[in-house]
Amino acid sequence: RSIWVTWRKIFLDYPFRYGLRRLVGGSPNFWRKGLASAWGDPKRLSDSDVLRFQWPSIGMGWEQGLLNLVRSKLSSSSKSVLDDGELLQQVSSLPNTKVVIIYGSRDRIVKFEGSVAEKVKKEFPTVHIVRMEGLGHDPYEEDVDGFLRELKAVV
């Protein structure tokens, strides 16, 4: 077993961690390109937005956590987490709980439009759904004031 662990660290863990640090931590373009695909209007993506997302990856150690997460998911044969529908069912049925889904109309990461939104409305009638026009995957980042207005109107 210790030979396998040593081999894994030398030939898998260390190169993988190095590659992740170089790709993710050292390149603002990595974050700008990724965030531009998530933002409703990429022209509104500021340097401070990019830095805010990049910052946690600048420190050491995050890549080992990601590696551990992937390794645990690959080796786990049991279902240890709920899928989105199960989680929504459990949370929306809690007493004194209001569930609000706020999404951007230009979200290219999670497609909530059409049949998905209709299914949620049908299966979870107590869930409030708010669509924010022109925004992408992170409406709470793209338009903080607008997001808070929409949330306050429902809550």
Side-chain angles (χ1 to χ4, degrees), residues 1 17 22 36 40 51 59-60 66 69 71 78 80 87-88 97 104 111 127 141:
R1 175 152 166 89
R17 287 170 47 196
R22 296 279 298 171
L51 185 58
M60 297 291 282
L66 181 60
L69 173 70
R71 190 177 294 124
S78 66
S80 60
L87 180 61
L88 188 55
T97 302
K111 302 290 185 193
V127 172
E141 296 272 357

PDB file of all heavy atoms in Angstrom, residues 1 17 22 36 40 51 59-60 66 69 71 78 80 87-88 97 104 111 127 141:
ATOM      1  N   ARG A   1       0.832  -1.206   0.000  1.00  0.00           N
ATOM      2  CA  ARG A   1       0.000   0.000   0.000  1.00  0.00           C
ATOM      3  C   ARG A   1       0.862   1.250   0.000  1.00  0.00           C
ATOM      4  O   ARG A   1       0.554   2.195  -0.710  1.00  0.00           O
ATOM      5  CB  ARG A   1      -0.940  -0.020   1.208  1.00  0.00           C
ATOM      6  CG  ARG A   1      -1.733   1.257   1.320  1.00  0.00           C
ATOM      7  CD  ARG A   1      -3.051   1.050   2.000  1.00  0.00           C
ATOM      8  NE  ARG A   1      -3.647   2.302   2.389  1.00  0.00           N
ATOM      9  CZ  ARG A   1      -4.449   3.016   1.619  1.00  0.00           C
ATOM     10  NH1 ARG A   1      -4.742   2.604   0.420  1.00  0.00           N
ATOM     11  NH2 ARG A   1      -4.975   4.133   2.048  1.00  0.00           N
ATOM     12  N   ARG A  17      -1.271  18.758  -9.278  1.00  0.00           N
ATOM     13  CA  ARG A  17      -1.315  19.975  -8.463  1.00  0.00           C
ATOM     14  C   ARG A  17      -0.530  21.095  -9.138  1.00  0.00           C
ATOM     15  O   ARG A  17      -0.968  22.242  -9.178  1.00  0.00           O
ATOM     16  CB  ARG A  17      -0.776  19.692  -7.064  1.00  0.00           C
ATOM     17  CG  ARG A  17      -1.745  18.884  -6.236  1.00  0.00           C
ATOM     18  CD  ARG A  17      -1.180  18.379  -4.942  1.00  0.00           C
ATOM     19  NE  ARG A  17      -0.464  19.403  -4.208  1.00  0.00           N
ATOM     20  CZ  ARG A  17       0.359  19.133  -3.208  1.00  0.00           C
ATOM     21  NH1 ARG A  17       0.562  17.893  -2.829  1.00  0.00           N
ATOM     22  NH2 ARG A  17       0.967  20.107  -2.578  1.00  0.00           N
ATOM     23  N   ARG A  22      -0.617  26.241 -12.131  1.00  0.00           N
ATOM     24  CA  ARG A  22      -0.203  27.031 -13.293  1.00  0.00           C
ATOM     25  C   ARG A  22      -1.410  27.492 -14.104  1.00  0.00           C
ATOM     26  O   ARG A  22      -1.488  28.637 -14.522  1.00  0.00           O
ATOM     27  CB  ARG A  22       0.731  26.216 -14.197  1.00  0.00           C
ATOM     28  CG  ARG A  22       2.036  25.825 -13.564  1.00  0.00           C
ATOM     29  CD  ARG A  22       3.031  26.901 -13.599  1.00  0.00           C
ATOM     30  NE  ARG A  22       3.318  27.211 -14.990  1.00  0.00           N
ATOM     31  CZ  ARG A  22       4.031  28.236 -15.390  1.00  0.00           C
ATOM     32  NH1 ARG A  22       4.534  29.044 -14.512  1.00  0.00           N
ATOM     33  NH2 ARG A  22       4.241  28.463 -16.646  1.00  0.00           N
ATOM     34  N   ALA A  36     -16.358  35.337 -18.423  1.00  0.00           N
ATOM     35  CA  ALA A  36     -17.023  35.964 -19.569  1.00  0.00           C
ATOM     36  C   ALA A  36     -18.088  35.032 -20.144  1.00  0.00           C
ATOM     37  O   ALA A  36     -19.129  35.489 -20.620  1.00  0.00           O
ATOM     38  CB  ALA A  36     -16.006  36.338 -20.636  1.00  0.00           C
ATOM     39  N   GLY A  40     -23.810  37.542 -18.144  1.00  0.00           N
ATOM     40  CA  GLY A  40     -24.818  37.856 -19.156  1.00  0.00           C
ATOM     41  C   GLY A  40     -24.266  38.785 -20.219  1.00  0.00           C
ATOM     42  O   GLY A  40     -24.497  38.608 -21.406  1.00  0.00           O
ATOM     43  N   LEU A  51     -10.425  39.299 -10.346  1.00  0.00           N
ATOM     44  CA  LEU A  51      -9.531  39.105  -9.206  1.00  0.00           C
ATOM     45  C   LEU A  51     -10.261  38.468  -8.026  1.00  0.00           C
ATOM     46  O   LEU A  51      -9.721  37.603  -7.340  1.00  0.00           O
ATOM     47  CB  LEU A  51      -8.901  40.434  -8.785  1.00  0.00           C
ATOM     48  CG  LEU A  51      -7.864  40.342  -7.672  1.00  0.00           C
ATOM     49  CD1 LEU A  51      -6.722  39.413  -8.066  1.00  0.00           C
ATOM     50  CD2 LEU A  51      -7.324  41.718  -7.334  1.00  0.00           C
ATOM     51  N   GLY A  59      -3.470  31.208  -3.314  1.00  0.00           N
ATOM     52  CA  GLY A  59      -2.847  30.572  -2.152  1.00  0.00           C
ATOM     53  C   GLY A  59      -2.514  29.111  -2.425  1.00  0.00           C
ATOM     54  O   GLY A  59      -2.996  28.502  -3.367  1.00  0.00           O
ATOM     55  N   MET A  60      -1.707  28.555  -1.563  1.00  0.00           N
ATOM     56  CA  MET A  60      -1.301  27.157  -1.708  1.00  0.00           C
ATOM     57  C   MET A  60      -2.283  26.248  -0.975  1.00  0.00           C
ATOM     58  O   MET A  60      -2.845  26.629   0.038  1.00  0.00           O
ATOM     59  CB  MET A  60       0.098  26.959  -1.126  1.00  0.00           C
ATOM     60  CG  MET A  60       1.185  27.749  -1.851  1.00  0.00           C
ATOM     61  SD  MET A  60       1.486  27.133  -3.493  1.00  0.00           S
ATOM     62  CE  MET A  60       2.475  25.721  -3.102  1.00  0.00           C
ATOM     63  N   LEU A  66      -9.081  19.980  -4.048  1.00  0.00           N
ATOM     64  CA  LEU A  66      -9.799  19.601  -5.262  1.00  0.00           C
ATOM     65  C   LEU A  66      -9.457  18.164  -5.658  1.00  0.00           C
ATOM     66  O   LEU A  66     -10.335  17.379  -6.018  1.00  0.00           O
ATOM     67  CB  LEU A  66      -9.455  20.564  -6.402  1.00  0.00           C
ATOM     68  CG  LEU A  66     -10.140  20.305  -7.733  1.00  0.00           C
ATOM     69  CD1 LEU A  66     -11.656  20.373  -7.597  1.00  0.00           C
ATOM     70  CD2 LEU A  66      -9.665  21.305  -8.776  1.00  0.00           C
ATOM     71  N   LEU A  69     -11.282  15.817  -3.357  1.00  0.00           N
ATOM     72  CA  LEU A  69     -12.700  15.750  -3.703  1.00  0.00           C
ATOM     73  C   LEU A  69     -12.919  14.837  -4.907  1.00  0.00           C
ATOM     74  O   LEU A  69     -13.786  13.958  -4.882  1.00  0.00           O
ATOM     75  CB  LEU A  69     -13.248  17.148  -4.001  1.00  0.00           C
ATOM     76  CG  LEU A  69     -14.676  17.183  -4.546  1.00  0.00           C
ATOM     77  CD1 LEU A  69     -15.672  16.782  -3.468  1.00  0.00           C
ATOM     78  CD2 LEU A  69     -14.998  18.552  -5.092  1.00  0.00           C
ATOM     79  N   ARG A  71     -10.942  12.483  -6.067  1.00  0.00           N
ATOM     80  CA  ARG A  71     -10.601  11.118  -5.698  1.00  0.00           C
ATOM     81  C   ARG A  71     -11.735  10.473  -4.894  1.00  0.00           C
ATOM     82  O   ARG A  71     -12.092   9.324  -5.126  1.00  0.00           O
ATOM     83  CB  ARG A  71      -9.303  11.101  -4.891  1.00  0.00           C
ATOM     84  CG  ARG A  71      -8.759   9.715  -4.674  1.00  0.00           C
ATOM     85  CD  ARG A  71      -7.433   9.720  -3.943  1.00  0.00           C
ATOM     86  NE  ARG A  71      -6.403  10.342  -4.749  1.00  0.00           N
ATOM     87  CZ  ARG A  71      -5.670  11.383  -4.352  1.00  0.00           C
ATOM     88  NH1 ARG A  71      -5.830  11.914  -3.170  1.00  0.00           N
ATOM     89  NH2 ARG A  71      -4.751  11.894  -5.145  1.00  0.00           N
ATOM     90  N   SER A  78     -21.402   4.662  -3.200  1.00  0.00           N
ATOM     91  CA  SER A  78     -22.735   4.941  -2.666  1.00  0.00           C
ATOM     92  C   SER A  78     -23.151   6.372  -2.982  1.00  0.00           C
ATOM     93  O   SER A  78     -22.320   7.250  -3.152  1.00  0.00           O
ATOM     94  CB  SER A  78     -22.759   4.720  -1.156  1.00  0.00           C
ATOM     95  OG  SER A  78     -21.940   5.679  -0.524  1.00  0.00           O
ATOM     96  N   SER A  80     -24.140   9.624  -1.779  1.00  0.00           N
ATOM     97  CA  SER A  80     -24.036  10.298  -0.491  1.00  0.00           C
ATOM     98  C   SER A  80     -24.658  11.691  -0.498  1.00  0.00           C
ATOM     99  O   SER A  80     -24.763  12.312   0.540  1.00  0.00           O
ATOM    100  CB  SER A  80     -22.574  10.401  -0.071  1.00  0.00           C
ATOM    101  OG  SER A  80     -21.849  11.136  -1.031  1.00  0.00           O
ATOM    102  N   LEU A  87     -33.111  17.617  -3.144  1.00  0.00           N
ATOM    103  CA  LEU A  87     -32.744  18.701  -2.233  1.00  0.00           C
ATOM    104  C   LEU A  87     -33.827  19.780  -2.220  1.00  0.00           C
ATOM    105  O   LEU A  87     -34.245  20.242  -1.150  1.00  0.00           O
ATOM    106  CB  LEU A  87     -31.397  19.305  -2.635  1.00  0.00           C
ATOM    107  CG  LEU A  87     -30.882  20.441  -1.766  1.00  0.00           C
ATOM    108  CD1 LEU A  87     -30.672  19.981  -0.332  1.00  0.00           C
ATOM    109  CD2 LEU A  87     -29.584  20.984  -2.348  1.00  0.00           C
ATOM    110  N   LEU A  88     -34.311  20.159  -3.391  1.00  0.00           N
ATOM    111  CA  LEU A  88     -35.361  21.171  -3.478  1.00  0.00           C
ATOM    112  C   LEU A  88     -36.630  20.704  -2.768  1.00  0.00           C
ATOM    113  O   LEU A  88     -37.280  21.473  -2.063  1.00  0.00           O
ATOM    114  CB  LEU A  88     -35.641  21.506  -4.940  1.00  0.00           C
ATOM    115  CG  LEU A  88     -36.565  22.670  -5.225  1.00  0.00           C
ATOM    116  CD1 LEU A  88     -36.084  23.948  -4.543  1.00  0.00           C
ATOM    117  CD2 LEU A  88     -36.682  22.885  -6.717  1.00  0.00           C
ATOM    118  N   THR A  97     -40.050  28.157   5.745  1.00  0.00           N
ATOM    119  CA  THR A  97     -38.966  28.270   4.770  1.00  0.00           C
ATOM    120  C   THR A  97     -39.531  28.716   3.429  1.00  0.00           C
ATOM    121  O   THR A  97     -40.520  28.158   2.949  1.00  0.00           O
ATOM    122  CB  THR A  97     -38.250  26.916   4.597  1.00  0.00           C
ATOM    123  OG1 THR A  97     -37.763  26.492   5.861  1.00  0.00           O
ATOM    124  CG2 THR A  97     -37.094  27.032   3.630  1.00  0.00           C
ATOM    125  N   GLY A 104     -30.521  34.322 -14.254  1.00  0.00           N
ATOM    126  CA  GLY A 104     -30.353  35.276 -15.337  1.00  0.00           C
ATOM    127  C   GLY A 104     -30.858  34.710 -16.656  1.00  0.00           C
ATOM    128  O   GLY A 104     -30.656  33.525 -16.948  1.00  0.00           O
ATOM    129  N   LYS A 111     -29.116  25.954 -17.805  1.00  0.00           N
ATOM    130  CA  LYS A 111     -30.270  26.326 -18.622  1.00  0.00           C
ATOM    131  C   LYS A 111     -31.544  26.112 -17.815  1.00  0.00           C
ATOM    132  O   LYS A 111     -31.964  24.989 -17.597  1.00  0.00           O
ATOM    133  CB  LYS A 111     -30.320  25.493 -19.900  1.00  0.00           C
ATOM    134  CG  LYS A 111     -29.086  25.612 -20.767  1.00  0.00           C
ATOM    135  CD  LYS A 111     -28.995  26.959 -21.399  1.00  0.00           C
ATOM    136  CE  LYS A 111     -27.818  27.003 -22.355  1.00  0.00           C
ATOM    137  NZ  LYS A 111     -27.490  28.311 -22.774  1.00  0.00           N
ATOM    138  N   VAL A 127     -42.239  27.261  -4.572  1.00  0.00           N
ATOM    139  CA  VAL A 127     -40.945  27.866  -4.905  1.00  0.00           C
ATOM    140  C   VAL A 127     -41.180  29.100  -5.769  1.00  0.00           C
ATOM    141  O   VAL A 127     -41.907  29.051  -6.761  1.00  0.00           O
ATOM    142  CB  VAL A 127     -40.035  26.851  -5.629  1.00  0.00           C
ATOM    143  CG1 VAL A 127     -38.775  27.521  -6.144  1.00  0.00           C
ATOM    144  CG2 VAL A 127     -39.691  25.690  -4.699  1.00  0.00           C
ATOM    145  N   GLU A 141     -23.820  38.659  -8.623  1.00  0.00           N
ATOM    146  CA  GLU A 141     -22.531  39.326  -8.830  1.00  0.00           C
ATOM    147  C   GLU A 141     -22.655  40.416  -9.889  1.00  0.00           C
ATOM    148  O   GLU A 141     -22.028  41.460  -9.784  1.00  0.00           O
ATOM    149  CB  GLU A 141     -21.467  38.324  -9.287  1.00  0.00           C
ATOM    150  CG  GLU A 141     -21.121  37.263  -8.290  1.00  0.00           C
ATOM    151  CD  GLU A 141     -20.015  37.684  -7.348  1.00  0.00           C
ATOM    152  OE1 GLU A 141     -19.463  38.787  -7.501  1.00  0.00           O
ATOM    153  OE2 GLU A 141     -19.711  36.903  -6.446  1.00  0.00           O
TER     154      GLU A 141
END
